[in-house]
Amino acid sequence: MNRDEFETLVADALDQIPPQLAAMMDNVAVFVEDEPDPATPDLLGLYEGTPLTERGEWYAGVLPDRIIVYMGPTLRHCETYDETVDEVRTTVVHEVAHHFGFDDHELHELGWS
């Protein structure tokens, strides 16, 4: 799978977020990168920023939060196209949930890890 195809999967996964939730996403940008930091070579996605639940009056004029989906580890993790579609969707939902304030433990309990 090439980068354009992978980016399309990420965009499609974002499009599947219910409109009510997508409208609540604030000051967040989504990126596709080839590889994570070498210290975490199997990382499929990452959320960097301040979750909506932790933002206060001080939250103004800051750079957007970042959701990163890593193409290399995802493609190595998946054996088929359909597995890749499912994993990208799971990763996107997982990282968007961090934006909404869910932690890894809660996401694991909900089946999104």
Side-chain angles (χ1 to χ4, degrees):
M1 176 177 299
N2 67 38
R3 180 147 183 139
D4 287 341
E5 292 168 326
F6 191 85
E7 288 178 353
T8 297
L9 293 183
V10 172
D12 290 347
L14 287 166
D15 288 344
Q16 292 177 16
I17 295 172
Q20 309 90 306
L21 290 178
M24 293 169 43
M25 292 176 66
D26 182 47
N27 200 32
V28 61
V30 179
F31 300 92
V32 170
E33 292 186 7
D34 293 330
E35 297 291 337
D37 184 287
T40 55
D42 297 327
L43 189 65
L44 304 182
L46 180 66
Y47 170 75
E48 297 176 326
T50 304
L52 294 175
T53 55
E54 296 178 17
R55 295 179 184 180
E57 292 178 14
W58 60 269
Y59 189 85
V62 298
L63 292 173
D65 294 358
R66 292 171 38 102
I67 291 173
I68 305 165
V69 181
Y70 295 107
M71 188 171 88
T74 302
L75 295 178
R76 288 190 296 274
H77 177 76
C78 300
E79 294 182 14
T80 67
Y81 178 83
D82 289 339
E83 281 183 29
T84 306
V85 170
D86 290 342
E87 189 59 57
V88 167
R89 184 174 67 85
T90 298
T91 300
V92 168
V93 168
H94 181 103
E95 303 310 332
V96 167
H98 284 317
H99 177 67
F100 281 103
F102 288 86
D103 65 26
D104 281 329
H105 177 75
E106 292 169 314
L107 292 170
H108 179 74
E109 287 182 352
L110 294 169
W112 290 103
S113 57

